[in-house]
Amino acid sequence: MKFGAPTWPGIQRLLRRLTSGRASRALVVGGLSSAGNLLLSVTIARQETVAGVGWFAIAFSLYILASGLTRAVVTDAVLASDAVTAAANEGSRRAIAVGAVAALPILAAAVATGSPYLLVSGVALPGLVLYDYTKAVSLGVGRPRLACGQELLWATLTVLAVLLGLFRFVSPAAVFAIWAAAGALLGGLAAWHQGYGVVPAWRMNPDETRLAVSFGAQFLVTTGSAHLALTVTAVGAGAAVVGALSAGRTMLGPVNLLLGTAGALMIPYLARSREAPGSVRIRLAVRVTAIVTGCTAPLAVAVALLPDGAGLRLLGRNWESAQPLLAALALESLLTVAATVAFAGHRVERAGPRALLLGILLGATRVPAVLGGALLFGAGGAATVMVVMALASALIWWWSYVTLLRRVETARPVAQPV
């Protein structure tokens, strides 16, 4: 099968779609969110010890994991409902319930380790999950001003917390606490403003609950496995190893910002060609992969080759731990693009069981592999294994996607002449 190369008119059409309508609003909201998180990460990475950066990375990763789990279990079902407004109130209660349950093991870990970052993450988690829920629903029902307002307020409060930290009025852990408290408070206010329930509850409906558990399991073994690998690595190899990896990823924050925003738009873009022949859809997916990779590769290379002077100004004493890992982490980020596009293609084709099976295979391999690399060779070993896993994921997801499209194409009825 011959894959078409990206053409300038095709690039122009893609860029126009990425900057129009709902896509542009998602870009603004996602950009504000990622910029605030990047500012927070850089501040803590600059002022904390490498072990402290590791505990922050674990706490932040668990927040991302809980938010993603809530989206998979609750938010997506609400947005897919025929009556989103009516379902949003019940969904709010369920989101808080998921956040509260997820907070329990985090709080237990905070007590066992004495980590202030885990303690803050556990206490604020229900509110932070509610924040993400209200933002996603606002975007989904066409109320982008509310979502943009939330992000702008949180970004402003994050900047204030960062300034307090940079001038050493408060500790790095206090900066994280202010950030988390602001997000949780804004989540509660947004839910109250829109009339959503703020008391956790889960009305038992066997079919809905079974579907929610299925979606949650799929998220944990696919996207969530990367966050789980980080936590397991901290337990097995120590927080300092995770701190070095996190400091390196902090430097790649702008790259991951672009990739994360583009990733959120891949499913609706690929879905527009669902009725086209399989060869056309493959060429489109290749084109999207090439464009996104081409746009982010120069930035990733620039970060990997950053001079010591600039790195020291950004990360302080943790630059020495992060610098040797940058090339591997940059390559991992770029390889993730191909896997993300192919995974989005599975979602468009509604190949849920197939995607779940591949996710279980890759997730079950990733966690012990990263831990093994960290135990044997430290942070450098973990980073190398992450690159290998990213390459394997890209190859496996694309092999599956191409095979799936060929099978779908073969199964289509041939039009009979009239």
Side-chain angles (χ1 to χ4, degrees), residues 335-364:
L335 288 172
T336 301
V337 177
T340 302
V341 173
F343 175 73
H346 283 73
R347 295 293 296 270
V348 171
E349 296 301 320
R350 298 182 177 90
R354 187 187 187 97
L356 180 59
L357 180 61
L358 290 179
I360 292 173
L361 171 66
L362 292 170

Side-chain angles (χ1 to χ4, degrees), residues 158-194:
T158 299
V159 170
L160 292 176
V162 163
L163 289 175
L164 290 174
L166 290 177
F167 286 105
R168 302 193 180 276
F169 289 116
V170 298
S171 67
V175 173
F176 181 64
I178 295 172
W179 170 87
L185 179 61
L186 288 172
L189 289 175
W192 173 79
H193 175 71
Q194 297 177 73

